[in-house]
Amino acid sequence: MRPPAILSLGRQPPKPTMPEYTPSSRGRKLSAIRLGAVLALGLFGLTYGASFALVAPYLMLPLLSPLVVTAGIMIWALPQSDRTPDRTIAALLCAFLVGLALWPNYLAIALPGLPWITVIRIVAAPLSALLLVSASSSARFRRDISLALKSSKPIV
């Protein structure tokens, strides 16, 4: 059964926005590459999961490297922006310095199986994350940091 004719009153029917599908001439080669990539990813996942199950309580740090690499790629791929959280970075830096000078290390959160979670670590984690994000996404921030580092040779 044919679809009903469009009453256009002298206008042409709109052209399709997407071109018609044409199969790729590299179809078999591309699907072989995709299959190989899926198999390699599956093999990596099985190996990673098995090693995590075998050595998890003792050797956790090497198993965290894929997460650190993924986080680094995500921070590197952030879009450029001129807005940086300058006041938040300054407040966290002041809190870090006060915690470093005045807060004793024995006043910390001690969860079983983890190192002590001190005030310095609580403040340093978001401070370092904000510094990395700002350095990755703001040219002004990188320029200001480089000027500050160039002005004092002993710091470098």
Side-chain angles (χ1 to χ4, degrees):
M1 185 168 165
R2 278 180 71 178
I6 299 174
L7 295 175
S8 63
L9 299 175
R11 288 184 272 160
Q12 295 292 328
K15 295 187 186 251
T17 56
M18 294 181 62
E20 293 183 23
Y21 172 74
T22 56
S24 173
S25 60
R26 304 179 310 166
R28 287 188 186 267
K29 183 178 179 183
L30 193 60
S31 39
I33 291 173
R34 284 182 183 160
L35 179 65
V38 167
L39 288 176
L41 186 63
L43 182 65
F44 173 75
L46 286 172
T47 310
Y48 185 78
S51 63
F52 188 83
L54 292 175
V55 298
Y58 307 108
L59 294 173
M60 286 291 289
L61 200 56
L63 296 174
L64 292 177
S65 59
L67 296 175
V68 172
V69 169
T70 304
I73 290 172
M74 286 172 42
I75 290 173
W76 173 73
L78 287 172
Q80 292 294 316
S81 172
D82 285 333
R83 298 181 60 202
T84 55
D86 293 332
R87 290 189 302 183
T88 308
I89 290 174
L92 283 173
L93 180 62
C94 290
F96 180 79
L97 293 176
V98 166
L100 186 64
L102 299 178
W103 196 273
N105 275 341
Y106 57 84
L107 291 179
I109 300 170
L111 298 175
L114 292 176
W116 283 1
I117 303 173
T118 61
V119 170
I120 296 169
R121 289 181 178 170
I122 290 172
V123 174
L127 177 62
S128 59
L130 280 176
L131 282 172
L132 285 173
V133 167
S134 298
S136 172
S137 63
S138 175
R140 180 190 60 83
F141 188 82
R142 288 190 300 269
R143 185 179 62 245
D144 292 346
I145 293 294
S146 68
L147 285 175
L149 289 176
K150 285 179 185 175
S151 67
S152 177
K153 296 293 181 191
I155 291 176
V156 177

